[in-house]
Amino acid sequence: MPQYDVDLFVIGAGSGGVRASRVAAAHGAKVAVAEEYRVGGTCVIRGCVPKKLLVYGAHFAEDLADARRFGWNVPDCGFDWTVLRDNVLEEVKRIEGVYGETLANNKVELIKERAIVTGPHGVRLAGGREVTAKYILIATGATPDVPECPGHEHGFTSNEAFDLDEVPRRIVIAGAGYIANEFAGIFHQFGSHVTLVNRTDVILRGYDEQIRDRLLQIATMKGITFKFHAAFEKVEKQDDGSLLVHVSGGHEPIACDALMFATGRRPLTAGLGLESAGITLDDRGAIPVDEDSKTGCDSIYAVGDVTNRVQLTPVAIREGQAFADTLFGNKPHRVNYDCIPSAVFSHPPLAGVGLTEAQAKNKFGSVRTYTSDFRAMKNVLAGRHERSLYKLVVHSETDVVLGIHMIGPDAPEILQAAAIAVKAGLTKQDFDDTVALHPSMAEELVLMR
Ligand code: NDP
C-alpha cells in the first residue's frame, strides 16, 4: 500500500500550478490539483489573456481613424462594448477548457473545491474529504489589494473589469502601475474620460525613467488626466449613482461614474492553514521559499505570485516546471531570475529587460547610454505626433549591453527578441555589427551611435 493518497497535491490551478501538475504527472507522479474558482488562474481568467484582447480591441479606435490617411474610406464606426466583452469571455472559456483537457490528458485529478493544508502531508477539501500527499505545492496566486478608505466598496478591481455592463463615461483609476496604465489606455480608447490617481508621482516604478516619462507625456497628450500625490480619503455615492472621490494633496474631489482600484496584488494565503505545517508568512503575507521553491516545511513547496518573487506568468510557469522536473523528473534545475523581460500593454506599450540607467549607475558607477527618439513611419503618415523611444544601457568598460528599454508600437514584440541578446551578454559592438532590417522600427536597435 502506498504511504500517501497522491505523490503531489497542488493547491491552485493557475499558470504555475497547472504547469507543475502536468509535468509532475508526465514524469509518472500521481497528482491531484484543487481549484476553488476556474482553471487557468489570474492570467487566463482575469488577467493577461482577456486584458490583451481588450488592448487589441482598443487599438481599433486609432487604427480605424488612421486607415483614412492610408486611403480607406472608413465610415463613422460605433463601438459595442458588450460584443467585445462577450467574445472575450467566450475565448477565456475556451482556453479554460483547453487547460482542463491538458490536465485530464496527463491524468491529473482535478478537484473543483477549495483545499487547505492540515499538516506537512495533509490537505482538507471544502467538502470535508481529507487527502494525504508526499508533497504539497501551493500555487494560489495573488489577489487585488484595495486600500482601506470609507466608501472603497463602491470601486471594483481588475477581477471585475472584464464583466462590466457598460464602458463608464468617466472613470477614476487608482494606482499607476501595470494594471492602472494598461486599463487607462483601454478605457480611454473606448471613449471614457480617464483620471489616473496615485499616491506618489511615480508611474510604473521599476521601469527606466525616460521611458516612463515618455508614456506620461503621450498619455497626457491623448487626454488621460493624472493626479499625483493624491491618497484616497473617501468615496461617496451620489443620488444619481455617480461617485465623488476625495483625495489628499489639495486636489478637488473627482466626479466619476466608476472607480477601479489597481493598487497592487497581495499573495493569496489567508486561511490556507499553513501554520499547521509550521510555515510562517512574510509581512506581505507571502510564503518564503528557497531557490528550489521549498518552504520552511520539507514536504511543502510554493510557486508563482503566492511567493511574491516576480509577479509574472512566465516566471510562475518556469518555477512550476523547475519544481516538477527537480522533484519528479530527476532533472534538477533552478529558475534564473536574471534579465527577465517585461512589458506594459499601455497605449503605446513599453517594455524593458536588464538594468535601467539608474540601476546600472548604482551598480557600476558610470555607464554609456544610447537613445533613438523617432516617429514610427506609420505614425508619420497617419499624422500622429507620438514618438517612440529606444534606449540601450551599456557597460563603460566591457561594452556589454546591460539593459534595453523601449516605448512605441509593438515594443513588447521587438523586446522579446532583443532580450536574448542581453541575456546572452552581447556587446554594443555586436549590435553595431548586425545589419539593419529596413524599413522597420526594430532596426533602430542596431543603428544607435
Ligand atoms: P503595481 O505594483 O504595478 O502598481 C501598484 C500601484 O499602486 C503603484 O502605482 C503604487 O504606487 C500604488 N499603490 C500601492 N499600494 C497602494 C496603496 N495602499 N494605496 C494607494 N496606492 C497604492 O500593481 P498592479 O496592481 O498594477 O499589478 C499587480 C502586479 O501584477 C504587477 O506588479 C505585475 O507584476 C503584474 N501584472 C503584470 C502585467 C504585465 O506583465 N503586463 C499586467 C498586469 C499586472 P507607488 O508605486 O507610487 O508606491
Side-chain angles (χ1 to χ4, degrees):
M1 282 286 284
Q3 199 183 345
Y4 301 105
D5 298 328
V6 292
D7 299 311
L8 173 65
F9 194 100
V10 179
I11 305 182
S15 300
V18 166
R19 174 59 66 94
S21 302
R22 75 161 173 82
V23 174
H27 286 316
K30 185 175 179 197
V31 183
V33 56
E35 172 55 58
E36 64 179 338
Y37 184 54
R38 293 174 64 184
V39 176
T42 300
C43 177
V44 172
I45 306 297
R46 45 197 182 188
C48 328
V49 171
K51 178 276 306 289
K52 186 72 186 275
L53 292 170
L54 292 190
V55 169
Y56 281 130
H59 226 284
F60 282 100
E62 288 183 354
D63 291 345
L64 285 166
D66 292 352
R68 295 187 177 113
R69 291 276 307 164
F70 286 84
W72 290 92
N73 186 2
V74 181
D76 282 341
C77 297
F79 169 66
D80 188 337
W81 159 252
T82 57
V83 172
L84 176 61
R85 179 198 63 195
D86 293 349
N87 287 343
V88 169
L89 295 178
E90 199 54 41
E91 174 62 4
V92 165
K93 208 154 121 202
R94 186 189 70 78
I95 301 176
E96 181 186 7
V98 172
Y99 268 60
E101 278 165 29
T102 304
L103 290 173
N105 292 342
N106 283 280
K107 305 205 170 16
V108 174
E109 183 192 0
L110 173 62
I111 304 166
K112 299 200 86 176
E113 275 178 72
R114 177 170 169 80
I116 61 165
V117 174
T118 55
H121 297 281
V123 169
R124 184 183 308 123
L125 300 169
R129 180 178 150 202
E130 305 267 354
V131 182
T132 59
K134 185 171 183 195
Y135 294 106
I136 296 169
L137 179 70
I138 313 292
T140 46
T143 190
D145 216 355
V146 174
E148 280 295 328
C149 78
H152 68 79
E153 67 280 3
H154 299 308
F156 64 89
T157 69
S158 56
N159 281 357
E160 295 82 31
F162 303 100
D163 299 298
L164 294 181
D165 291 333
E166 58 189 6
V167 173
R169 193 166 62 82
R170 300 162 302 173
I171 183 167
V172 166
I173 303 182
Y178 283 80
I179 297 177
N181 280 287
E182 290 181 344
F183 274 92
I186 290 168
F187 283 122
H188 174 74
Q189 297 298 320
F190 290 155
S192 299
H193 182 268
V194 179
T195 306
L196 201 139
V197 174
N198 199 37
R199 59 181 180 180
T200 66
D201 62 353
V202 177
I203 71 166
L204 293 168
R205 196 179 289 283
Y207 279 91
D208 192 88
E209 199 175 336
Q210 263 181 292
I211 304 294
R212 293 191 267 130
D213 284 351
R214 179 60 54 93
L215 176 64
L216 186 57
Q217 184 201 338
I218 295 175
T220 306
M221 201 168 73
K222 284 183 192 287
I224 294 172
T225 304
F226 289 82
K227 304 255 187 221
F228 291 132
H229 299 297
F232 275 71
E233 288 177 338
K234 64 176 175 183
V235 182
E236 289 173 328
K237 187 140 193 161
Q238 308 295 98
D239 291 342
D240 63 358
S242 69
L243 302 174
L244 202 56
V245 178
H246 297 259
V247 295
S248 66
H251 300 282
E252 289 291 312
I254 310 160
C256 62
D257 305 295
L259 165 63
M260 176 173 173
F261 286 102
T263 42
R265 295 171 58 84
R266 80 185 129 77
L268 202 43
T269 45
L272 262 186
L274 296 166
E275 61 291 343
S276 65
I279 296 169
T280 43
L281 304 175
D282 72 11
D283 53 4
R284 289 278 300 149
I287 303 176
V289 288
D290 68 13
E291 284 179 294
D292 291 311
S293 297
K294 186 161 80 174
T295 70
C297 172
D298 280 349
S299 53
I300 302 187
Y301 289 68
V303 294
D305 288 359
V306 77
T307 65
N308 204 22
R309 285 177 281 188
V310 181
Q311 287 190 350
L312 293 175
T313 296
V315 176
I317 290 172
R318 292 244 166 167
E319 289 169 353
Q321 178 87 38
F323 159 82
D325 283 344
T326 301
L327 256 77
F328 300 100
N330 200 22
K331 284 192 270 182
H333 62 101
R334 287 175 172 164
V335 177
N336 181 333
Y337 293 90
D338 282 345
C339 290
I340 295 172
S342 63
V344 184
F345 295 93
S346 45
H347 205 98
L350 59 86
V353 64
L355 300 179
T356 63
E357 182 178 350
Q359 289 165 343
K361 278 184 175 156
N362 272 342
K363 193 165 175 184
F364 298 110
S366 72
V367 288
R368 277 184 279 134
T369 60
Y370 300 82
T371 51
S372 176
D373 190 337
F374 64 100
R375 258 207 306 165
M377 196 189 239
K378 182 164 167 258
N379 279 346
V380 176
L381 195 73
R384 290 199 176 278
H385 296 294
E386 62 190 69
R387 299 181 70 85
S388 302
L389 181 64
Y390 292 4
K391 179 171 179 177
L392 297 187
V393 180
V394 179
H395 194 288
S396 302
E397 278 123 47
T398 62
D399 199 40
V400 166
V401 177
L402 302 167
I404 304 181
H405 310 281
M406 43 205 296
I407 179 168
D410 297 328
E413 303 290 343
I414 298 166
L415 185 104
Q416 174 69 85
I420 301 168
V422 179
K423 181 80 178 162
L426 298 191
T427 61
K428 174 69 168 58
Q429 189 62 50
D430 292 318
F431 279 63
D432 295 348
D433 290 345
T434 306
V435 174
L437 194 161
H438 186 73
S440 68
M441 293 178 286
E443 69 178 317
E444 295 298 326
L445 284 174
V446 299
L447 294 174
M448 291 187 223
R449 299 287 188 265

